[in-house]
Amino acid sequence: KAQKLTSLRKKGAIAFSKHIEEKLHRLGMEASVFTIAVTPLSSPGPYGKDKIEYLISANKGEKTSLIQETSSGGELSRLMLAMKTSMEGSGSVDTMLFDEVDAGIGGRVATCVAKELRQLSQSKQVITITHLSQIASKADRHYKVYKYEEKGRTISHIKLLDGEERIRELARILSGDESEISLEHARKMLEDRE
């Protein structure tokens, strides 16, 4: 019976690994290989009857290694996004928070991540803390968090941005200023949200 359960867990790990790998390919890691290694333990430990290890090869021709040993910040961010979105239908989690999911990415990859987050938001509430315009422009609501000093104390504030305020903030994220070019680019990004 124990061998049958271990076999079922291994089969589940293989199926889940392939699902994660497919998502990683869509997130700009086209050559990545992802594996979940399940090794039965001789006796149950604090984490169960199996040793579970996550292995990844992010680049073609590289062997798989433990994620904590080889993954960059951007790779870890995309792996976490792939895992969270793969578990989207399981459990009763209605809200997902992604803090700095854009670490170490930009350009085309940021656009892929933004699309994945946008799709996830169709079935879950998604809260994303980001510094990338590609991700911020896909949101239904855009909040700006900022700090200011008052009476010797630092105060954090959050503000919902609409209309021109949102366009100006996206332009600032894009280029650091509100030039005509960056404002026009920000408007175009909001038009192309879907």
Side-chain angles (χ1 to χ4, degrees):
K1 186 176 178 179
Q3 284 180 332
K4 189 174 183 180
L5 285 173
T6 297
S7 176
L8 286 172
R9 287 192 292 274
K10 284 184 178 183
K11 285 180 183 176
I14 290 168
F16 190 61
S17 295
K18 290 299 168 200
H19 188 70
I20 298 282
E21 199 172 275
E22 289 170 12
K23 285 190 173 277
L24 288 173
H25 294 172
R26 287 199 309 265
L27 292 170
M29 295 174 66
E30 294 88 357
S32 64
V33 176
F34 179 75
T35 305
I36 301 172
V38 179
T39 308
L41 298 172
S42 56
S43 61
Y47 302 108
K49 296 180 178 185
D50 298 312
K51 179 180 180 181
I52 308 293
E53 294 179 305
Y54 299 103
L55 306 156
I56 193 166
S57 167
N59 302 301
K60 192 172 187 172
E62 298 296 319
K63 68 177 193 164
T64 57
S65 303
L66 293 171
I67 60 170
Q68 65 267 30
E69 293 176 359
T70 60
S71 296
S72 69
E75 291 163 353
L76 286 172
S77 295
R78 285 179 275 169
L79 179 58
M80 185 56 69
L81 177 59
M83 290 179 126
K84 283 188 173 185
T85 57
S86 292
M87 296 183 291
E88 165 186 2
S90 63
S92 60
V93 176
D94 294 324
T95 301
M96 291 191 168
L97 174 64
F98 294 93
D99 184 5
E100 307 286 342
V101 72
D102 55 17
I105 64 170
R108 183 184 62 81
V109 173
T111 300
C112 292
V113 169
K115 287 178 181 176
E116 190 76 18
L117 289 166
R118 177 87 177 154
Q119 183 173 339
L120 180 60
S121 75
Q122 304 308 304
S123 61
K124 303 281 184 190
Q125 179 184 29
V126 176
I127 300 170
T128 306
I129 299 165
T130 185
H131 298 286
L132 290 179
S133 57
Q134 293 98 317
I135 293 173
S137 67
K138 296 283 188 214
D140 290 329
R141 305 237 177 349
H142 185 161
Y143 293 87
K144 179 180 180 178
V145 178
Y146 59 95
K147 296 179 182 182
Y148 60 91
E149 188 179 319
E150 184 178 285
K151 297 180 183 175
R153 294 197 60 218
T154 301
I155 308 293
S156 295
H157 189 72
I158 185 167
K159 180 179 183 180
L160 175 62
L161 302 177
D162 282 322
E164 279 302 309
E165 277 185 317
R166 185 172 187 186
I167 292 167
R168 286 194 311 273
E169 180 62 14
L170 283 173
R172 188 193 62 75
I173 293 170
L174 277 165
S175 66
D177 62 25
E178 296 179 23
S179 69
E180 279 306 312
I181 292 172
S182 62
L183 288 167
E184 186 56 37
H185 192 168
R187 284 186 191 93
K188 180 83 170 114
M189 290 179 88
L190 287 174
E191 288 171 13
D192 296 339
R193 279 177 12 137
E194 299 304 322

